């Protein structure tokens, strides 16, 4: 099963993406308890694209693709921003006291912890981040 959507690269589109994910989840009859990892991943990566990958004043698009194959779900997020591999970001310091840490920098870390595999590729003029998780039925 495969489903795609395209939205403008703006924060106001987040509810539409949440609905897209919920409708896919329901149509595929996936266990509700396993959706949280994908909800977090989609929100974190989409908002990173909106905040950091879309030049001010421009209206790019983000393509989302969900693919369910052989018990695994892959979430692919593609954008038209400048080349950026979030997997090259250093791991955050999770041992320092909360009050002493800088704000931000945990989104990609959480995505990597929640998913079984995460990969980045530059496909032509687009960034593509693929996140895969094995699902239990």
């Amino acid at each position: 099963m495969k489903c795609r959507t395209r939205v403008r690269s703006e924060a106001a589109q987040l509810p539409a993406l949440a609905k897209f994910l919920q409708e896919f989840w329901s149509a595929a009859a996936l266990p509700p308890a396993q959706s949280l990892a994908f909800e977090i991943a989609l929100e974190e990566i989409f908002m990173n694209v909106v905040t950091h990958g879309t030049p001010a004043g421009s209206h790019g698009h983000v393509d989302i693709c969900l693919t369910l194959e052989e018990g695994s779900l892959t979430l692919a997020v593609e954008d038209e921003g400048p080349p950026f591999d979030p997997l090259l970001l250093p791991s955050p310091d999770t041992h320092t006291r909360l009050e002493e840490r800088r704000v931000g920098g945990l989104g990609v870390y959480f995505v990597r912890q929640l998913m079984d595999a995460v990969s980045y590729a530059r496909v032509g003029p687009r960034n593509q981040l693929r996140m895969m998780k094995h699902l239990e039925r």
Side-chain angles (χ1 to χ4, degrees):
M1 179 174 180
K2 190 175 209 171
C3 199
R4 294 180 172 273
T5 193
R6 172 178 261 207
V7 297
R8 289 173 65 111
S9 181
E10 51 192 38
Q13 295 299 314
L14 195 54
L17 289 179
K19 183 178 178 189
F20 168 74
L21 179 61
Q22 291 167 355
E23 288 174 352
F24 179 90
W25 213 266
S26 179
L30 296 172
Q34 294 185 46
S35 69
L36 184 59
F38 287 91
E39 292 170 20
I40 292 170
L42 181 55
E43 180 176 341
E44 287 294 337
I45 299 306
F46 178 72
M47 289 309 297
N48 279 350
V49 170
V50 169
T51 304
H52 305 292
T54 306
S58 70
H59 298 289
H61 290 91
V62 179
D63 293 305
I64 308 296
C65 181
L66 293 165
T67 306
L68 181 62
E69 296 180 308
E70 301 174 17
S72 295
L73 181 60
T74 300
L75 166 61
V77 178
E78 292 187 21
D79 69 89
E80 304 160 337
F84 178 70
D85 182 351
L87 302 179
L88 296 178
L89 293 171
S91 294
D93 178 3
T94 57
H95 301 291
T96 303
R97 293 175 25 153
L98 224 64
E99 309 79 49
E100 298 170 4
R101 293 185 202 172
R102 68 177 186 84
V103 174
L106 291 173
V108 173
Y109 171 78
F110 285 142
V111 169
R112 293 179 87 168
Q113 298 303 307
L114 291 169
M115 296 292 155
D116 294 325
V118 181
S119 63
Y120 168 83
R122 184 73 179 178
V123 181
R126 302 174 61 81
N127 294 300
Q128 182 185 78
L129 190 68
R130 295 174 57 82
M131 299 155 277
M132 186 276 299
K133 186 168 185 67
H134 301 286
L135 300 177
E136 297 176 21
R137 289 264 184 175

